[in-house]
Amino acid sequence: MPRSSIAVLGLVGAAVLIALSTSQVCRADSAAPAPAKDHQTPWVVPDIDKLPDNDWGRTVRHGRDLIAKTSSLIGPEVKDPAHRFAGNNLNCQSCHINAGTKQFGLALVGVYADFPNYRKRSGSVGSMEDRIQGCMQRSMNGKALPEDGPEMIAMLSYLRFLSDGIPVGAKTFGRGTGAMPELNRAADPVRGKTIYANMCAACHGADGLGQRVGKVGDAKGYIFPPLWGPDSYNDGAGMDRLIDAANFIHNNMPAGTTWKNPTLKPEDAWDVAAYIDTQPRPQKAHLSRDFPNRLQKPIDTPYGPYADDLPESEHKLGPFGPIIDADKKLKDDAKH
């Protein structure tokens, strides 16, 4: 077992990702659902400022900073080349909002004790370290962290801290991005382009390249991150899949939106996500190796090969009903 795991082993609280449901997209402008009354852990974010000024407190706070200020600490423009691990100038909290503490903003609360678990993408059991490395190589378009280095230990410590007091196996409402029912049509990137121009371009730029804090080369990152282009996440990142992107946008965008008070209608979130995810971005090598069991591949994975014979364009944009039906038949056939 890596020393970084030993450093935080046994201190964990946990949560498992729950399935969410909302009213039908075509019938309601719904946000993420209210939690069920049973078997739910209250949403509590521990106060990091109450940690003592000792090795543990400083390590946890450094982990929080690595999530919130990634570009300034391990981005491609930092002065020391030995600390250039991220390949773009995003911060982890570009997706994990408020350093992973916002409900349905890809929250990190409770995530620590989900691991080790079986990872469909690799077809094997993976550790929390593996999951962090996946983010580094996909969302951050960079390279793996040293497994026992201070950055990995700090991130693991922060993730453990965010799970403090959550019972192992408990359901934590607010994890993930939410779960709107899929459209019964293909998402429309042409329509999404208009929505983007009206609702997103003021912050992220008409060209999708974001707004820098300062200037290129200063390692200060972005006020508003790029959504495509050379400094964005690559095509192997989870946000390049339509379902996660649409739900994330619906529950978090424009800035200040919450799952309780979404700004965009669901169908608008689907279409603008389609526009964003059909724009050019860095490419990750060897994506065909992902999901070795094709029947476990998410229906919206935008790259093949697939278990079914439906076109890549349908996997990218939907409608997803025919894919669900085709995959169900293949799974049923595999049982016999």
Side-chain angles (χ1 to χ4, degrees):
M1 178 180 292
R3 290 192 300 276
S4 52
S5 292
I6 296 172
V8 290
L9 187 64
L11 300 175
V12 176
V16 292
L17 184 63
I18 60 172
L20 305 172
S21 59
T22 64
S23 54
Q24 293 296 320
V25 165
C26 296
R27 292 190 288 108
D29 298 342
S30 60
K37 293 182 179 180
D38 59 342
H39 307 299
Q40 294 290 341
T41 298
W43 182 259
V44 177
V45 178
D47 188 350
I48 199 169
D49 293 329
K50 292 182 179 179
L51 288 176
D53 186 21
N54 57 16
D55 284 346
W56 171 247
R58 287 189 291 272
T59 301
V60 171
R61 279 188 276 269
H62 182 46
R64 186 265 314 271
D65 289 346
L66 284 163
I67 301 297
K69 306 172 185 178
T70 318
S71 58
S72 298
L73 297 175
I74 57 172
E77 296 175 353
V78 298
K79 290 183 178 180
D80 186 351
H83 289 93
R84 295 173 185 167
F85 297 109
N88 57 37
N89 286 285
L90 301 180
N91 296 319
C92 294
Q93 72 172 6
S94 298
C95 293
H96 301 286
I97 297 179
N98 297 341
T101 63
K102 184 175 186 277
Q103 284 184 303
F104 299 109
L106 279 175
L108 299 172
V109 175
V111 70
Y112 188 92
D114 281 357
F115 294 86
N117 64 19
Y118 175 75
R119 307 294 299 164
K120 295 177 181 179
R121 178 182 277 160
S122 64
S124 62
V125 173
S127 65
M128 187 75 252
E129 290 93 331
D130 294 329
R131 187 67 185 89
I132 290 172
Q133 304 291 34
C135 284
M136 289 300 302
Q137 295 169 321
R138 293 170 185 265
S139 296
M140 306 307 295
N141 195 37
K143 60 184 179 181
L145 297 171
E147 194 166 271
D148 293 317
E151 295 86 4
M152 178 64 80
I153 290 174
M155 284 189 178
L156 288 169
S157 298
Y158 178 63
L159 293 173
R160 178 266 158 200
F161 168 77
L162 289 180
S163 291
D164 192 29
I166 299 175
V168 173
K171 296 177 180 179
T172 306
F173 182 79
R175 289 277 303 282
T177 60
M180 300 181 294
E182 289 78 31
L183 289 174
N184 55 16
R185 60 168 173 84
D188 185 351
V190 175
R191 182 174 180 272
K193 182 177 181 179
T194 300
I195 297 165
Y196 180 88
N198 293 333
M199 301 297 296
C200 314
C203 292
H204 295 284
D207 56 5
L209 301 184
Q211 294 186 39
R212 299 276 312 211
V213 172
K215 60 183 180 181
V216 173
D218 63 10
K220 293 181 180 179
Y222 291 88
I223 302 172
F224 299 105
L227 301 180
W228 62 83
D231 215 22
S232 189
Y233 53 88
N234 67 40
D235 61 350
M239 201 61 79
D240 198 42
R241 298 209 304 259
L242 182 64
I243 292 174
D244 272 349
N247 280 282
F248 180 86
I249 290 167
H250 184 247
N251 288 324
N252 297 285
M253 294 294 141
T257 294
T258 68
W259 67 271
K260 292 182 179 179
N261 294 291
T263 301
L264 294 175
K265 297 178 180 179
E267 56 265 36
D268 292 345
W270 284 108
D271 290 341
V272 76
Y275 173 64
I276 291 168
D277 279 349
T278 52
Q279 300 307 302
R281 64 186 64 261
Q283 295 183 328
K284 189 179 186 306
H286 308 304
L287 288 179
S288 62
R289 299 176 184 174
D290 286 358
F291 306 101
N293 183 341
R294 308 301 181 205
L295 287 174
Q296 295 178 347
K297 201 165 192 174
I299 57 175
D300 61 337
T301 306
Y303 51 86
Y306 306 108
D308 57 66
D309 58 2
L310 294 169
E312 186 173 270
S313 60
E314 192 162 341
H315 283 271
K316 287 181 177 179
L317 300 176
F320 296 119
I323 300 174
I324 293 171
D325 292 342
D327 287 359
K328 181 179 183 301
K329 184 178 187 304
L330 289 169
K331 291 174 182 177
D332 289 343
D333 290 345
K335 293 177 182 178
H336 299 93

PDB file of all heavy atoms in Angstrom, residues 158-175:
ATOM      1  N   TYR A 158      -6.942  16.368   2.581  1.00  0.00           N
ATOM      2  CA  TYR A 158      -8.104  17.264   2.437  1.00  0.00           C
ATOM      3  C   TYR A 158      -9.364  16.463   2.136  1.00  0.00           C
ATOM      4  O   TYR A 158     -10.435  16.718   2.709  1.00  0.00           O
ATOM      5  CB  TYR A 158      -7.828  18.277   1.339  1.00  0.00           C
ATOM      6  CG  TYR A 158      -8.987  19.217   1.080  1.00  0.00           C
ATOM      7  CD1 TYR A 158      -9.437  20.088   2.067  1.00  0.00           C
ATOM      8  CD2 TYR A 158      -9.632  19.233  -0.157  1.00  0.00           C
ATOM      9  CE1 TYR A 158     -10.504  20.955   1.827  1.00  0.00           C
ATOM     10  CE2 TYR A 158     -10.685  20.099  -0.406  1.00  0.00           C
ATOM     11  CZ  TYR A 158     -11.119  20.953   0.594  1.00  0.00           C
ATOM     12  OH  TYR A 158     -12.185  21.811   0.360  1.00  0.00           O
ATOM     13  N   LEU A 159      -9.261  15.475   1.259  1.00  0.00           N
ATOM     14  CA  LEU A 159     -10.424  14.654   0.936  1.00  0.00           C
ATOM     15  C   LEU A 159     -10.890  13.867   2.155  1.00  0.00           C
ATOM     16  O   LEU A 159     -12.094  13.722   2.385  1.00  0.00           O
ATOM     17  CB  LEU A 159     -10.097  13.710  -0.219  1.00  0.00           C
ATOM     18  CG  LEU A 159      -9.839  14.378  -1.573  1.00  0.00           C
ATOM     19  CD1 LEU A 159      -9.366  13.362  -2.585  1.00  0.00           C
ATOM     20  CD2 LEU A 159     -11.076  15.108  -2.068  1.00  0.00           C
ATOM     21  N   ARG A 160      -9.950  13.362   2.944  1.00  0.00           N
ATOM     22  CA  ARG A 160     -10.325  12.679   4.171  1.00  0.00           C
ATOM     23  C   ARG A 160     -11.037  13.637   5.122  1.00  0.00           C
ATOM     24  O   ARG A 160     -12.053  13.314   5.728  1.00  0.00           O
ATOM     25  CB  ARG A 160      -9.081  12.082   4.848  1.00  0.00           C
ATOM     26  CG  ARG A 160      -9.362  11.385   6.173  1.00  0.00           C
ATOM     27  CD  ARG A 160      -9.151  12.307   7.351  1.00  0.00           C
ATOM     28  NE  ARG A 160      -9.898  11.814   8.496  1.00  0.00           N
ATOM     29  CZ  ARG A 160     -10.222  12.568   9.523  1.00  0.00           C
ATOM     30  NH1 ARG A 160      -9.920  13.835   9.532  1.00  0.00           N
ATOM     31  NH2 ARG A 160     -10.889  12.043  10.535  1.00  0.00           N
ATOM     32  N   PHE A 161     -10.519  14.851   5.244  1.00  0.00           N
ATOM     33  CA  PHE A 161     -11.109  15.863   6.116  1.00  0.00           C
ATOM     34  C   PHE A 161     -12.562  16.146   5.720  1.00  0.00           C
ATOM     35  O   PHE A 161     -13.439  16.286   6.585  1.00  0.00           O
ATOM     36  CB  PHE A 161     -10.276  17.141   6.048  1.00  0.00           C
ATOM     37  CG  PHE A 161     -10.919  18.339   6.666  1.00  0.00           C
ATOM     38  CD1 PHE A 161     -10.959  18.496   8.053  1.00  0.00           C
ATOM     39  CD2 PHE A 161     -11.494  19.330   5.867  1.00  0.00           C
ATOM     40  CE1 PHE A 161     -11.567  19.606   8.625  1.00  0.00           C
ATOM     41  CE2 PHE A 161     -12.092  20.438   6.433  1.00  0.00           C
ATOM     42  CZ  PHE A 161     -12.131  20.579   7.815  1.00  0.00           C
ATOM     43  N   LEU A 162     -12.833  16.227   4.428  1.00  0.00           N
ATOM     44  CA  LEU A 162     -14.184  16.524   3.966  1.00  0.00           C
ATOM     45  C   LEU A 162     -15.158  15.378   4.233  1.00  0.00           C
ATOM     46  O   LEU A 162     -16.364  15.565   4.113  1.00  0.00           O
ATOM     47  CB  LEU A 162     -14.182  16.853   2.473  1.00  0.00           C
ATOM     48  CG  LEU A 162     -13.556  18.181   2.069  1.00  0.00           C
ATOM     49  CD1 LEU A 162     -13.635  18.369   0.562  1.00  0.00           C
ATOM     50  CD2 LEU A 162     -14.216  19.356   2.781  1.00  0.00           C
ATOM     51  N   SER A 163     -14.650  14.195   4.578  1.00  0.00           N
ATOM     52  CA  SER A 163     -15.498  13.058   4.910  1.00  0.00           C
ATOM     53  C   SER A 163     -15.641  12.860   6.413  1.00  0.00           C
ATOM     54  O   SER A 163     -16.267  11.890   6.846  1.00  0.00           O
ATOM     55  CB  SER A 163     -14.934  11.780   4.290  1.00  0.00           C
ATOM     56  OG  SER A 163     -15.047  11.803   2.895  1.00  0.00           O
ATOM     57  N   ASP A 164     -15.077  13.746   7.190  1.00  0.00           N
ATOM     58  CA  ASP A 164     -15.078  13.579   8.642  1.00  0.00           C
ATOM     59  C   ASP A 164     -16.500  13.499   9.183  1.00  0.00           C
ATOM     60  O   ASP A 164     -17.336  14.359   8.910  1.00  0.00           O
ATOM     61  CB  ASP A 164     -14.348  14.756   9.293  1.00  0.00           C
ATOM     62  CG  ASP A 164     -14.050  14.521  10.761  1.00  0.00           C
ATOM     63  OD1 ASP A 164     -13.875  13.355  11.149  1.00  0.00           O
ATOM     64  OD2 ASP A 164     -13.995  15.512  11.518  1.00  0.00           O
ATOM     65  N   GLY A 165     -16.787  12.436   9.947  1.00  0.00           N
ATOM     66  CA  GLY A 165     -18.087  12.282  10.587  1.00  0.00           C
ATOM     67  C   GLY A 165     -19.151  11.631   9.742  1.00  0.00           C
ATOM     68  O   GLY A 165     -20.258  11.391  10.224  1.00  0.00           O
ATOM     69  N   ILE A 166     -18.858  11.343   8.483  1.00  0.00           N
ATOM     70  CA  ILE A 166     -19.839  10.694   7.607  1.00  0.00           C
ATOM     71  C   ILE A 166     -19.657   9.187   7.722  1.00  0.00           C
ATOM     72  O   ILE A 166     -18.576   8.666   7.439  1.00  0.00           O
ATOM     73  CB  ILE A 166     -19.669  11.138   6.151  1.00  0.00           C
ATOM     74  CG1 ILE A 166     -19.871  12.649   6.033  1.00  0.00           C
ATOM     75  CG2 ILE A 166     -20.662  10.401   5.246  1.00  0.00           C
ATOM     76  CD1 ILE A 166     -19.609  13.190   4.645  1.00  0.00           C
ATOM     77  N   PRO A 167     -20.676   8.454   8.133  1.00  0.00           N
ATOM     78  CA  PRO A 167     -20.521   7.002   8.309  1.00  0.00           C
ATOM     79  C   PRO A 167     -20.196   6.307   6.988  1.00  0.00           C
ATOM     80  O   PRO A 167     -20.697   6.695   5.924  1.00  0.00           O
ATOM     81  CB  PRO A 167     -21.896   6.551   8.826  1.00  0.00           C
ATOM     82  CG  PRO A 167     -22.523   7.791   9.368  1.00  0.00           C
ATOM     83  CD  PRO A 167     -22.016   8.919   8.515  1.00  0.00           C
ATOM     84  N   VAL A 168     -19.369   5.301   7.083  1.00  0.00           N
ATOM     85  CA  VAL A 168     -19.037   4.513   5.901  1.00  0.00           C
ATOM     86  C   VAL A 168     -20.320   3.922   5.316  1.00  0.00           C
ATOM     87  O   VAL A 168     -21.134   3.340   6.031  1.00  0.00           O
ATOM     88  CB  VAL A 168     -18.055   3.384   6.256  1.00  0.00           C
ATOM     89  CG1 VAL A 168     -17.850   2.450   5.065  1.00  0.00           C
ATOM     90  CG2 VAL A 168     -16.732   3.969   6.714  1.00  0.00           C
ATOM     91  N   GLY A 169     -20.511   4.099   4.036  1.00  0.00           N
ATOM     92  CA  GLY A 169     -21.684   3.552   3.362  1.00  0.00           C
ATOM     93  C   GLY A 169     -22.896   4.455   3.377  1.00  0.00           C
ATOM     94  O   GLY A 169     -23.915   4.120   2.774  1.00  0.00           O
ATOM     95  N   ALA A 170     -22.798   5.607   4.058  1.00  0.00           N
ATOM     96  CA  ALA A 170     -23.962   6.509   4.104  1.00  0.00           C
ATOM     97  C   ALA A 170     -24.159   7.196   2.757  1.00  0.00           C
ATOM     98  O   ALA A 170     -23.225   7.368   1.982  1.00  0.00           O
ATOM     99  CB  ALA A 170     -23.763   7.553   5.196  1.00  0.00           C
ATOM    100  N   LYS A 171     -25.363   7.589   2.494  1.00  0.00           N
ATOM    101  CA  LYS A 171     -25.679   8.348   1.289  1.00  0.00           C
ATOM    102  C   LYS A 171     -25.544   9.836   1.605  1.00  0.00           C
ATOM    103  O   LYS A 171     -26.118  10.328   2.570  1.00  0.00           O
ATOM    104  CB  LYS A 171     -27.107   8.046   0.811  1.00  0.00           C
ATOM    105  CG  LYS A 171     -27.327   6.600   0.391  1.00  0.00           C
ATOM    106  CD  LYS A 171     -28.772   6.366  -0.009  1.00  0.00           C
ATOM    107  CE  LYS A 171     -29.014   4.922  -0.425  1.00  0.00           C
ATOM    108  NZ  LYS A 171     -30.434   4.682  -0.796  1.00  0.00           N
ATOM    109  N   THR A 172     -24.797  10.524   0.810  1.00  0.00           N
ATOM    110  CA  THR A 172     -24.586  11.952   1.013  1.00  0.00           C
ATOM    111  C   THR A 172     -25.270  12.713  -0.102  1.00  0.00           C
ATOM    112  O   THR A 172     -24.809  12.718  -1.241  1.00  0.00           O
ATOM    113  CB  THR A 172     -23.077  12.284   1.036  1.00  0.00           C
ATOM    114  OG1 THR A 172     -22.436  11.466   2.008  1.00  0.00           O
ATOM    115  CG2 THR A 172     -22.862  13.746   1.394  1.00  0.00           C
ATOM    116  N   PHE A 173     -26.376  13.333   0.227  1.00  0.00           N
ATOM    117  CA  PHE A 173     -27.113  14.086  -0.785  1.00  0.00           C
ATOM    118  C   PHE A 173     -26.308  15.318  -1.186  1.00  0.00           C
ATOM    119  O   PHE A 173     -25.851  16.081  -0.344  1.00  0.00           O
ATOM    120  CB  PHE A 173     -28.474  14.522  -0.232  1.00  0.00           C
ATOM    121  CG  PHE A 173     -29.312  15.257  -1.235  1.00  0.00           C
ATOM    122  CD1 PHE A 173     -29.997  14.565  -2.207  1.00  0.00           C
ATOM    123  CD2 PHE A 173     -29.406  16.642  -1.211  1.00  0.00           C
ATOM    124  CE1 PHE A 173     -30.768  15.238  -3.143  1.00  0.00           C
ATOM    125  CE2 PHE A 173     -30.176  17.323  -2.139  1.00  0.00           C
ATOM    126  CZ  PHE A 173     -30.861  16.616  -3.105  1.00  0.00           C
ATOM    127  N   GLY A 174     -26.128  15.473  -2.497  1.00  0.00           N
ATOM    128  CA  GLY A 174     -25.382  16.608  -3.006  1.00  0.00           C
ATOM    129  C   GLY A 174     -24.128  16.226  -3.749  1.00  0.00           C
ATOM    130  O   GLY A 174     -23.443  17.084  -4.288  1.00  0.00           O
ATOM    131  N   ARG A 175     -23.829  14.919  -3.784  1.00  0.00           N
ATOM    132  CA  ARG A 175     -22.677  14.458  -4.538  1.00  0.00           C
ATOM    133  C   ARG A 175     -22.988  14.473  -6.034  1.00  0.00           C
ATOM    134  O   ARG A 175     -24.132  14.453  -6.460  1.00  0.00           O
ATOM    135  CB  ARG A 175     -22.302  13.034  -4.097  1.00  0.00           C
ATOM    136  CG  ARG A 175     -21.686  12.936  -2.712  1.00  0.00           C
ATOM    137  CD  ARG A 175     -20.205  13.234  -2.716  1.00  0.00           C
ATOM    138  NE  ARG A 175     -19.504  12.340  -3.626  1.00  0.00           N
ATOM    139  CZ  ARG A 175     -19.202  11.070  -3.341  1.00  0.00           C
ATOM    140  NH1 ARG A 175     -19.548  10.552  -2.177  1.00  0.00           N
ATOM    141  NH2 ARG A 175     -18.560  10.336  -4.220  1.00  0.00           N
TER     142      ARG A 175
END
